[in-house]
Amino acid sequence: MLSTGLPQGAVPKLERPGPLRDRVYEALLELITTRALQPGQHLVESELAGHLGVSRQPVREALQRLNTEGWVDLRPAQGAFVHEPTEQEADQLLTVRTLLEAEAARLAALNADSAGIEALEEILALGLEAVASDDVEAAVVLNARFHAKIMDLAGNAVLAELAAQVGRRVRWYHAPVARQRGGRSWAEHRDLIAAVAARDEQLAERLMREHTEHTRRSYLAQATS
């Protein structure tokens, strides 16, 4: 365990090319999203710089950007801390996510071709494998990939843009309940694929609404327990 609480191997490599401040930002955001950096955790510039192999300046710039976007809280005389989402924040975002995802599922049922259905089934198979091996991190990533594919099959660029704005934060909220939802979540994915393949837009919309609501309620129940 590193001094900032990062598990060994959790620090992502900084991809090149691109401005260093942007690569540091992406690395820190990934650590927050995956909860390698936990909500409420103190973020020490010098330690983060050491882990990432950079100077403190791009770390400082990244933390300021993350603060602006609501991922990090900068407290006077105390420093930077990973934001701790309130119950209201989570409820509002996950409610919006339900609206976007339900419409995407409806449109996917209208527009998906056989290649799209096959892609969903491949993600489903990988997700079931991740659950069986208790690989929560992989399950979270695959869950995000599944929902992104549904959004892609919907074929609505505006809807996709809106979903992208909340997608990473949804992944952040999903991580704590991924093990709890486990196989049930992927069983719901399987039913959704069947509805999309059958071109049953009303059923696909209803199943997605129920699916995302299950995640929302699971997160809120855990947050208040």
Side-chain angles (χ1 to χ4, degrees):
M1 186 72 73
L2 303 177
S3 56
T4 47
L6 293 177
Q8 292 288 354
V11 180
K13 293 182 179 179
L14 299 184
E15 299 295 335
R16 299 176 184 277
L20 183 59
R21 63 178 179 276
D22 292 345
R23 289 184 280 129
V24 171
Y25 161 83
E26 286 294 337
L28 293 179
L29 182 53
E30 181 68 10
L31 290 169
I32 292 172
T33 304
T34 59
R35 295 187 177 244
L37 291 171
Q38 290 286 323
Q41 185 169 340
H42 188 202
L43 303 174
V44 181
E45 286 182 9
S46 58
E47 293 183 347
L48 291 172
H51 298 331
L52 296 173
V54 299
S55 68
R56 293 176 63 175
Q57 182 60 31
V59 172
R60 183 177 300 114
E61 293 174 353
L63 291 176
Q64 291 171 345
R65 180 177 173 185
L66 291 165
N67 171 249
T68 300
E69 296 176 356
W71 293 100
V72 166
D73 297 327
L74 297 179
R75 304 173 188 170
Q78 296 184 52
F81 297 80
V82 178
H83 180 66
E84 296 184 76
T86 66
E87 181 180 341
Q88 183 181 40
E89 288 173 356
D91 188 37
Q92 290 178 352
L93 183 126
L94 293 174
T95 296
V96 170
R97 182 235 186 167
T98 293
L99 297 173
L100 297 175
E101 297 273 5
E103 177 62 8
R106 185 186 72 81
L107 292 174
L110 290 175
N111 299 322
D113 56 14
S114 58
I117 300 299
E118 184 177 347
L120 290 174
E121 291 175 340
E122 290 175 357
I123 299 171
L124 173 67
L126 293 173
L128 292 172
E129 289 179 7
V131 170
S133 60
D134 198 31
D135 189 342
V136 176
E137 182 176 350
V140 170
V141 171
L142 288 164
N143 179 75
R145 189 183 302 172
F146 180 88
H147 285 271
K149 187 60 184 178
I150 289 286
M151 193 63 63
D152 176 58
L153 295 176
N156 186 310
V158 175
L159 188 64
E161 181 179 355
L162 292 172
Q165 293 177 24
V166 301
R168 205 156 193 176
R169 205 169 293 267
V170 166
R171 182 180 165 196
W172 189 38
Y173 292 142
H174 180 67
V177 299
R179 178 174 281 114
Q180 174 189 342
R181 293 277 285 132
R184 179 182 177 186
S185 179
W186 288 95
E188 293 165 3
H189 285 166
R190 180 189 288 113
D191 293 341
L192 183 58
I193 293 173
V196 171
R199 297 192 175 279
D200 190 333
E201 56 182 298
Q202 293 184 340
L203 178 59
E205 180 181 11
R206 178 175 65 79
L207 290 176
M208 181 64 89
R209 186 178 299 278
E210 293 173 353
H211 172 68
T212 53
E213 278 294 296
H214 289 157
T215 298
R216 185 182 70 87
R217 288 195 294 267
S218 295
Y219 178 88
L220 294 176
Q222 184 182 85
T224 57
S225 62

